[in-house]
Amino acid sequence: MIKKILRLNVTNQCNLSCGTCPIKANIYNNSFMKFNVFQNILCEHRNIPLEVVLEGGEPFLHPQIFLFLEYLKTVPNFKKVIISTNGYVEEYFDTLLDTINRLNICVQLNVAITSALIDKDPSHMEMCKKIFDEAQSKKFQVTFDVTYTSEEDKASLTSIIKE
């Protein structure tokens, strides 16, 4: 069966300003996809099994992100939502877990790990580990997108991740 992966850039706002960001997202940007636009896009794709990727910027900064998740539950043929995040989700994490449990939807978090993120804030790995631990309880799926720029960087990230 054919499935469609629908990638939606829901905001250009981000709580970081990474030099490698392809859309130059940062905290000063304030463009957010409107809910009715989100609904219309999904209605256009309702006849095909659908995985939705919410990305941006940082999707959890979108003021209606949880409304988007609730709406997905109503979409025929919706299979899974993948949220690409930088992992700085602590203030949203409990609400995310509650939403996943209440709606019983399939959620996958793609969490970025880079040495630049860890250098800026060593607690980033603690949040990543918390996300990983919660995922082990089968509330949601998690993947980590580990990006490195050199073999030394790879070795350093590998040792940090293994701790």
Side-chain angles (χ1 to χ4, degrees), residues 115-130:
S115 54
L117 290 176
I118 294 168
D119 289 345
K120 280 184 182 180
D121 182 5
S123 70
H124 182 256
M125 283 307 297
E126 292 171 27
M127 188 64 210
C128 290
K129 288 176 183 179
K130 181 178 179 180

Side-chain angles (χ1 to χ4, degrees), residues 1 4 24-25 47 50 55 71 110 136-137 149 154 156:
M1 177 173 279
K4 184 170 197 152
K24 305 293 183 218
N47 296 323
L50 188 62
E55 54 192 5
Y71 182 74
N110 284 355
Q136 297 309 298
S137 67
T149 56
K154 178 182 177 183
S156 173

Side-chain angles (χ1 to χ4, degrees), residues 10-39:
V10 296
T11 182
N12 67 349
Q13 189 174 72
C14 186
N15 44 6
L16 301 173
S17 294
C18 301
T20 58
C21 181
I23 66 166
K24 305 293 183 218
N26 63 58
I27 196 66
Y28 303 107
N29 294 337
N30 61 0
S31 178
F32 300 102
M33 179 180 283
K34 292 184 179 359
F35 182 66
N36 67 324
V37 172
F38 183 77
Q39 288 176 303

Side-chain angles (χ1 to χ4, degrees), residues 60-100:
F60 286 105
L61 294 179
H62 193 296
Q64 295 180 311
I65 189 68
F66 294 107
L67 181 61
F68 286 9
L69 295 178
E70 291 202 24
Y71 182 74
L72 285 171
K73 179 72 175 177
T74 69
V75 175
N77 291 312
F78 166 72
K79 301 298 179 202
K80 176 193 222 177
V81 62
I82 301 166
I83 305 171
S84 295
T85 177
N86 59 30
Y88 286 93
V89 298
E90 192 150 16
E91 64 187 275
Y92 313 102
F93 200 59
D94 289 339
T95 305
L96 175 63
L97 295 178
D98 290 345
T99 302
I100 292 169

